[in-house]
Amino acid sequence: MLASLDWWTIAIYLSLLIFGWVSVCGASYTYGDTDIFSLGTRSGMQIVWIGTSVCLGFVLLILDDRFYDTFSYVIYVLLLLLLFATIFNPHEIKGSRSWLVLGSLRLQPAEFAKFATALAVAKLMSTYGFNIHRWKHFAAACGVVLLPMLFIVAQRETGSALVYLAFFLMFYREGMPGSILFTGVAMVIYFVAGIKYEQVFLGDTPTSIGKFVVLLLVQLFSAAMVYVYCNNKKRAFRLVAFSIGITLIALLFSEYVIPFDIVWVQFGVSAVLIGYLVYQSISSRLTNYFYIALFAIGSIAFFYSADYVLNDVMEPHQRVRINVLLSLDEDLSGAGYNVHQSEIAIGSGGLRGKGFLNGTQTKLKFVPEQDTDFIFCTVGEEEGFVGSAGVLLLFLALILRLIYLAERQPFKFGRVYGYCVLSIFLFHVFINVGMVLGLTPVIGIPLPFFSYGGSSLWGFTLLLFIFLRIDAGRGMIRK
């Protein structure tokens, strides 16, 4: 087994642990501290978490790789029960009930539920006869992912719940229609464009740019889907020409003749487009046209419900964070304070950084949560652009290595689990670094192997080393 282990991945893992400890030390250091290794300091405790994580990884490697396949559902059910029990946890930390407090030890079950969910969905998708193209099978796989997600939301830990959306990247690799992934991306575009520019008007017309852009995108996306999924180039170009032509005529008329809201014209164009797609579905007996019509209807319905969700469903702090991200509110002393200070810290690092323990923004505690969710700003300030790029390259090497390992698995269970692992790592890195740079919403998720704490470090170690053990057993002869 030792000969079959992927030592390159282990080397990357150990490198990330070392750089992570240096970053925690820099983020938590206070001027005057004489012993950074003391258990009374965050850097000293992080050494304990790192040591226990390495021991945990060793234990995972000495177990038989078939153990994870055999007991996947058992582990999943146990973690679900733990997640459910945590909902009624009397201890509330920063508005969240996701932490179990056992004396001086605090554990977050949501971090461990990731590997359990990955094992369960890999077990389900590797069963004989499973076909992701069958809606019943795909719905069952989605249910395995969404159930822990709902429990975590009930704990008021929305950020950790959103991580489970990463599993849809694995679904796409395993054959989920690209239209589903595209629909998710389109919804994000509708939300950002519609909400950000809803109160901005087009020229001298009373037309909201947000509504105008979204409705036009719905029409263009629908035409593009006709080209891709119905394989009809001429019909797609006709739909594009019709949408743009009518919209352009209405725009010129509103600008130079009688000002009016062009959105009403676009509604009419969208209605004609949807009716045409339904007619083509009936006449040609191609259900793809009907699905594209549903996409157009759902897109419009989603956009007009987004405002309600933002203002009436989301919590006030979540709404403020989104408004700050979309530059609708400045709020540098409130919701935008963390991001603003982290940007200052990263920018002050320059090319080569200020050096280990020499960061002023972090030492003077200007950045809240700087050794957990916002730890990447410490890397930027002390190590500069060079150090930040090096850390990101290490994560890139880990992701690429996981793709290579997942693709060489001889059985579907190992491949699916491997893609679950790399999807979760990719989501964490992208969102965490993005929120520190002000590019993504602040949802409070840790940077793998860098953020301070035992739960996240153990959770990521469990994810990675279970996969390494499964990979190490790929060529073993079974008796």
Side-chain angles (χ1 to χ4, degrees):
M1 186 273 293
L2 290 177
S4 301
L5 271 178
D6 186 68
W7 292 100
W8 283 108
T9 303
I10 294 178
I12 296 172
Y13 166 78
L14 294 175
S15 300
L16 288 170
L17 287 181
I18 293 171
F19 283 117
W21 179 81
V22 170
S23 300
V24 168
C25 186
S28 60
Y29 177 79
T30 302
Y31 289 120
D33 284 348
T34 57
D35 189 3
I36 60 176
F37 300 102
S38 170
L39 294 182
T41 63
R42 306 271 277 191
S43 56
M45 280 304 301
Q46 188 70 358
I47 294 178
V48 175
W49 303 133
I50 291 174
T52 53
S53 295
V54 172
C55 293
L56 176 61
F58 176 76
V59 171
L60 295 171
L61 291 178
I62 63 176
L63 292 175
D64 193 308
D65 60 295
R66 291 171 292 187
F67 171 85
Y68 305 112
D69 188 344
T70 304
F71 293 97
S72 295
Y73 290 144
V74 175
I75 296 172
Y76 176 73
V77 171
L78 290 176
L79 262 297
L80 276 184
L81 293 174
L82 187 59
L83 285 176
F84 182 74
T86 308
I87 297 174
F88 308 99
N89 170 34
H91 300 282
E92 186 173 306
I93 300 175
K94 297 180 180 178
S96 171
R97 294 181 179 273
S98 62
W99 294 88
L100 291 178
V101 180
L102 307 171
S104 59
L105 181 65
R106 296 190 302 180
L107 294 176
Q108 192 173 24
E111 293 295 335
F112 304 108
K114 296 170 189 174
F115 90 90
T117 304
L119 285 173
V121 77
K123 179 71 172 180
L124 174 65
M125 295 181 66
S126 62
T127 54
Y128 179 76
F130 181 91
N131 187 345
I132 199 170
H133 296 289
R134 295 180 182 174
W135 282 105
K136 183 171 66 174
H137 293 176
F138 180 57
C142 289
V144 171
V145 173
L146 295 178
L147 191 56
M149 191 175 177
L150 292 175
F151 287 165
I152 295 171
V153 169
Q155 300 169 8
R156 303 176 191 171
E157 188 63 36
T158 310
S160 296
L162 290 176
V163 174
Y164 287 76
L165 296 177
F167 284 94
F168 283 87
L169 295 176
M170 177 275 297
F171 287 149
Y172 178 69
R173 163 60 185 84
E174 292 301 316
M176 181 186 75
S179 57
I180 296 178
L181 199 61
F182 174 76
T183 300
V185 174
M187 298 302 174
V188 174
I189 295 173
Y190 298 153
F191 184 85
V192 173
I195 298 298
K196 184 176 178 64
Y197 299 104
E198 185 178 12
Q199 302 300 325
V200 182
F201 294 97
L202 185 63
D204 296 326
T205 70
T207 304
S208 165
I209 290 181
K211 295 178 180 178
F212 175 84
V213 170
V214 169
L215 289 173
L216 185 60
L217 284 175
V218 171
Q219 297 159 17
L220 296 180
F221 287 165
S222 299
M225 294 177 82
V226 169
Y227 177 79
V228 174
Y229 295 106
C230 300
N231 197 25
N232 197 317
K233 183 178 180 179
K234 290 183 178 180
R235 192 163 289 158
F237 281 121
R238 287 173 186 169
L239 292 176
V240 171
F242 172 75
S243 299
I244 294 180
I246 297 297
T247 302
L248 184 59
I249 293 172
L251 177 61
L252 293 174
F253 188 86
S254 179
E255 185 74 30
Y256 298 105
V257 184
I258 301 176
F260 71 98
D261 193 349
I262 307 171
V263 170
W264 292 108
V265 174
Q266 289 185 298
F267 267 125
V269 172
S270 299
V272 171
L273 174 66
I274 292 169
Y276 177 76
L277 291 171
V278 173
Y279 169 76
Q280 288 297 327
S281 175
I282 296 173
S283 61
S284 64
R285 296 185 179 181
L286 285 177
T287 56
N288 284 349
Y289 283 108
F290 180 71
Y291 291 140
I292 296 171
L294 288 179
F295 166 81
I297 295 172
S299 296
I300 297 173
F302 170 82
F303 169 64
Y304 278 90
S305 64
D307 188 72
Y308 169 76
V309 172
L310 179 64
N311 294 305
D312 298 304
V313 176
M314 288 186 174
E315 297 290 336
H317 69 279
Q318 296 170 335
R319 183 165 59 250
V320 171
R321 285 176 179 176
I322 290 177
N323 287 337
V324 170
L325 178 69
L326 298 179
S327 300
L328 298 176
D329 294 329
E330 191 72 15
D331 197 20
L332 296 182
S333 62
Y337 179 80
N338 290 22
V339 175
H340 181 62
Q341 292 298 326
S342 70
E343 289 173 342
I344 293 175
I346 292 173
S348 67
L351 179 64
R352 297 185 180 180
K354 297 178 179 178
F356 181 55
L357 302 183
N358 290 325
T360 54
Q361 291 294 116
T362 51
K363 298 303 161 294
L364 297 175
K365 313 300 180 187
F366 280 107
V367 186
E369 311 297 337
Q370 63 187 20
D371 56 359
T372 53
D373 298 342
F374 282 81
I375 194 166
F376 190 73
C377 73
T378 304
V379 179
E381 184 178 29
E382 295 192 347
E383 310 302 329
F385 175 80
V386 174
S388 301
V391 169
L392 293 179
L393 286 175
L394 267 179
F395 278 116
L396 177 61
L398 177 64
I399 297 298
L400 293 177
R401 195 66 189 172
L402 289 174
I403 292 175
Y404 169 75
L405 297 182
E407 286 296 332
R408 77 179 182 182
Q409 298 306 304
F411 302 107
K412 191 174 182 180
F413 176 81
R415 185 180 73 241
V416 171
Y417 181 79
Y419 271 99
C420 288
V421 173
L422 76 90
S423 296
I424 291 171
F425 277 114
L426 182 63
F427 188 92
H428 269 272
V429 174
F430 179 80
I431 296 297
N432 182 277
V433 175
M435 73 182 191
V436 170
L437 298 176
L439 302 176
T440 58
V442 178
I443 62 174
I445 61 173
L447 184 64
F449 310 122
F450 273 70
S451 296
Y452 172 81
S455 293
S456 65
L457 195 52
W458 291 347
F460 290 126
T461 299
L462 280 163
L463 273 168
L464 183 61
F465 275 79
I466 288 175
F467 181 47
L468 289 177
R469 183 61 188 91
I470 292 172
D471 175 70
R474 69 190 182 280
M476 291 187 177
I477 300 175
R478 308 296 186 186
K479 294 183 179 181

